[in-house]
Amino acid sequence: MSRGTDFYLLDELLTDRERQMRDRVRRWCDTEVAPAAAGFWERAEFPVELAEGYGRLGIAGASIVGNGCPGVSFLAEGVIAAELARGDGSIATLNAVHSGLAMTTIAMLGSEEQRARYLPRMATCEALGAFALTEPKHGSDVVALETRARREGDEWVLDGHKRWIGNGTVADVVVVWARDDDGQVGAFVVEHPDGAEHPVPGYHARKIVGKAANRGVWQAQIRLDGVRVPADARLAKARTWNDTNYVLAKSRQTVAWEALGHAVAAYEAALTYSLRREQFGRPLARFQLIQDKLAHMLSDITGMQLMCTRMSQLQARGQVSIEHAALAKLNTGDAARRVCAMARDILGGNGILLDHHVARHHADIEAVYTYEGTDSVQSLIVGRAITGLNAFR
């Protein structure tokens, strides 16, 4: 009898509430997201209706407590991210940017007043969030941040460029990272009070086109040309690069769970296909080569599940570090990429058709493999922890 993908019975570790939330997200993805995903992926169209449905699920903000956020466990937060990615990478990325980056930054680094100002509307997705850190010249070396914030009276004035900013053209609340006159790193909330269609003066966002992954979520090239925000738009606890790293460590954990979700989706599609598809008078699943691939795919998935689950347990105990997040992202990004490639191989020619879902996950995992720190960056973070020596410089 098939055991699905829960080979080590990890479902037993979930509470009833965690399981109910997981099942609710899964049902929504199965009935609403997956049937529509190929269409908006092929059209490179932002799925407005699905974004609205995401808001109604009540999962934005996930583990954040208070201000209208659900305050779920870290394990539930991870499982939710995996389920969204199992449905579609673009929706998972929408969640990762809005909830995992923008809302998390405000929750972790904002004052009580700032959290109360922004989070309730973001929790219902009345206001969509974006996180503007990466720059055209600085991806892996974003610590070289060039965007500037200068103080003029009761305002901050922002100048610079950002690139690969998820939701950057559609967000109502954008967390912009910049250096102040003293060279300190800060996070500044640029709010478009009349909505993203009417940005504040000096905020120019252009959608990046020609992507071959996560085509249903938009990234932006942003130019900040004298954008003025109130003095209290600077998040109170964002003062150094270490503060930025707190957020990135958290977001990398989310991305590790996302990679798992892509792998599960690809595996399930390949298994279903191999049981149904007949060649040489018998199902593909009867062939030794196919069973060998499926066994290795399940092995990778189980390893990812165990690592992600343990990471969430450490997070709940306050013991997770940036090195834990880096190792998880390093492992799951690589393993999910391998699983998706094997799934595409099992489907043969049909593996490149969007109708079978695997092609979409196979393409989208390339984005997951790269964003929130490339494979090489994660390995150097782990290498520093192993040796005590910094290979970044």
Side-chain angles (χ1 to χ4, degrees):
M1 179 180 294
S2 172
R3 302 185 189 183
T5 56
D6 189 18
F7 216 70
Y8 276 56
L9 306 181
L10 292 174
D11 186 72
E12 294 179 357
L13 299 180
L14 300 179
T15 65
D16 288 342
R17 186 192 180 201
E18 291 166 344
R19 200 174 292 111
Q20 290 166 4
M21 183 162 283
R22 187 270 316 275
D23 291 345
R24 187 169 80 250
V25 174
R26 180 176 293 179
R27 282 194 300 271
W28 180 68
C29 286
D30 286 346
T31 60
E32 303 293 331
V33 177
F40 65 71
W41 195 98
E42 186 166 27
R43 296 189 300 271
E45 176 184 299
F46 185 77
V48 175
E49 292 184 2
L50 292 182
E52 293 172 351
Y54 162 77
R56 290 191 294 270
L57 280 176
I59 59 175
S63 62
I64 300 172
V65 177
N67 292 298
C69 299
V72 303
S73 68
F74 293 119
L75 181 56
E77 182 175 46
V79 169
I80 287 169
E83 287 298 327
L84 292 172
R86 176 181 168 273
D88 179 68
S90 296
I91 293 297
T93 301
L94 173 70
N95 172 70
V97 172
H98 173 72
S99 179
L101 285 170
M103 292 183 71
T104 294
T105 302
I106 294 170
M108 293 178 71
L109 303 178
S111 66
E112 184 176 342
E113 187 278 330
Q114 288 170 327
R115 293 194 293 270
R117 187 191 318 169
Y118 301 114
L119 291 179
R121 292 188 302 120
M122 298 177 79
T124 61
C125 291
E126 177 187 346
L128 193 63
F131 179 89
L133 175 62
T134 305
E135 299 180 343
K137 295 181 181 179
H138 303 290
S140 296
D141 72 335
V142 74
V143 68
L145 196 64
E146 292 186 16
T147 301
R148 291 293 181 263
R150 68 180 187 276
R151 186 68 179 265
E152 289 189 2
D154 293 332
E155 295 180 316
W156 288 99
V157 183
L158 306 177
D159 291 284
H161 295 82
K162 298 293 182 180
R163 184 167 172 80
W164 293 114
I165 308 307
N167 301 340
T169 58
V170 296
D172 307 287
V173 175
V174 185
V175 179
V176 176
W177 291 87
R179 289 190 186 277
D180 63 20
D181 293 332
D182 297 323
Q184 295 298 311
V185 174
F188 303 82
V189 179
V190 177
E191 186 175 10
H192 306 307
D194 297 322
E197 294 181 357
H198 305 283
V200 298
Y203 182 96
H204 307 282
R206 175 172 54 84
K207 180 177 69 174
I208 295 174
V209 299
K211 293 191 305 171
N214 281 350
R215 289 168 54 81
V217 67
W218 293 345
Q219 280 78 34
Q221 174 99 12
I222 297 173
R223 187 176 86 251
L224 303 162
D225 187 9
V227 173
R228 293 180 176 272
V229 297
D232 63 358
R234 179 174 185 161
L235 296 183
K237 301 175 187 176
R239 297 293 170 184
T240 70
W241 184 252
N242 285 336
D243 299 323
T244 317
N245 272 333
Y246 293 146
V247 179
L248 295 180
K250 178 74 161 50
S251 66
R252 281 170 183 155
Q253 295 169 59
T254 300
V255 173
W257 281 99
E258 279 185 51
L260 169 61
H262 282 289
V264 168
Y267 170 83
E268 290 177 339
L271 175 59
T272 299
Y273 183 88
S274 69
L275 290 168
R276 184 182 69 243
R277 174 75 167 176
E278 290 193 0
Q279 290 290 281
F280 304 104
R282 53 180 174 164
L284 286 177
R286 285 284 302 274
F287 289 92
Q288 293 179 3
L289 288 173
I290 299 299
Q291 291 194 10
D292 179 69
K293 284 184 171 64
L294 291 170
H296 280 90
M297 293 161 76
L298 182 60
S299 175
D300 274 332
I301 287 170
T302 302
M304 287 188 276
Q305 289 172 332
L306 292 168
M307 178 172 280
C308 286
T309 298
R310 182 56 178 164
M311 179 175 60
S312 292
Q313 291 173 337
L314 291 175
Q315 190 177 6
R317 289 162 47 177
Q319 294 180 305
V320 78
S321 68
I322 192 170
E323 290 84 7
H324 289 117
L327 185 60
K329 206 272 183 175
L330 176 69
N331 173 272
T332 60
D334 185 52
R337 201 184 195 195
R338 189 163 53 242
V339 170
C340 289
M342 283 193 279
R344 202 229 66 76
D345 184 53
I346 289 173
L347 267 69
N350 286 328
I352 66 171
L353 294 176
L354 291 174
D355 288 349
H356 294 272
H357 300 295
V358 169
R360 178 166 44 83
H361 290 285
H362 189 214
D364 288 351
I365 195 61
E366 289 301 306
V368 176
Y369 186 74
T370 301
Y371 63 37
E372 295 307 312
T374 64
D375 182 84
S376 298
V377 166
Q378 309 303 340
S379 69
L380 293 183
I381 293 172
V382 176
R384 183 176 60 195
I386 293 169
T387 66
L389 302 173
N390 189 356
F392 284 99
R393 60 179 184 272

